[in-house]
């Protein structure tokens, strides 16, 4: 997942990005962000135009994004996950 995705979501901005397995692993397209097929300029233009016209959707994506990123990818949850991984590695 590109760092810019986390950064923009953390700033409560609606994000449009390429639809990849990594994006789908960490985010719910249509809920946390919008996705388009990789390299599809027309789909990207359509997605931008659609969000530009739909302030309600833009705000809903932004709100869900900032909540999700804060809950799962800010320093405290990341540190907790890292500590748990370290404890698991130490036990094995």
């Amino acid at each position: 997942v590109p760092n810019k995705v986390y950064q923009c979501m953390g700033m409560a901005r609606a994000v449009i990005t390429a639809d990849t397995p990594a994006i789908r692993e960490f985010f719910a397209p249509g809920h946390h962000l919008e996705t388009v097929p990789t390299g599809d300029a027309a789909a990207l233009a359509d997605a931008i135009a659609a969000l530009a016209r739909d302030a309600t959707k833009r705000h809903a994506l932004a709100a869900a994004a900032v909540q999700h990123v804060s809950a799962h990818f800010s320093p405290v949850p990341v540190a907790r996950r890292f500590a748990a991984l370290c404890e698991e590695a130490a036990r094995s």
Side-chain angles (χ1 to χ4, degrees):
V1 176
N3 194 48
K4 63 186 174 184
V5 170
Y6 294 106
Q7 292 171 336
C8 291
M9 292 174 80
M11 294 186 305
R13 297 293 183 255
V15 170
I16 303 167
T17 193
D19 189 359
T20 66
I23 288 292
R24 288 184 174 275
E25 180 177 346
F26 297 107
F27 305 105
H31 178 68
H32 299 123
L33 44 64
E34 289 292 334
T35 59
V36 295
T38 302
D40 189 336
L44 177 58
D46 290 345
I48 291 168
L51 282 182
R53 288 188 304 269
D54 191 345
T56 301
K57 177 71 171 184
R58 231 179 20 255
H59 293 267
L61 287 173
V66 73
Q67 189 281 327
H68 186 69
V69 167
S70 296
H72 299 283
F73 303 107
S74 62
V76 172
V78 169
R80 285 185 181 139
R81 265 195 324 274
F82 180 70
L85 289 170
C86 290
E87 288 174 12
E88 182 180 320
R91 284 192 299 269
S92 58

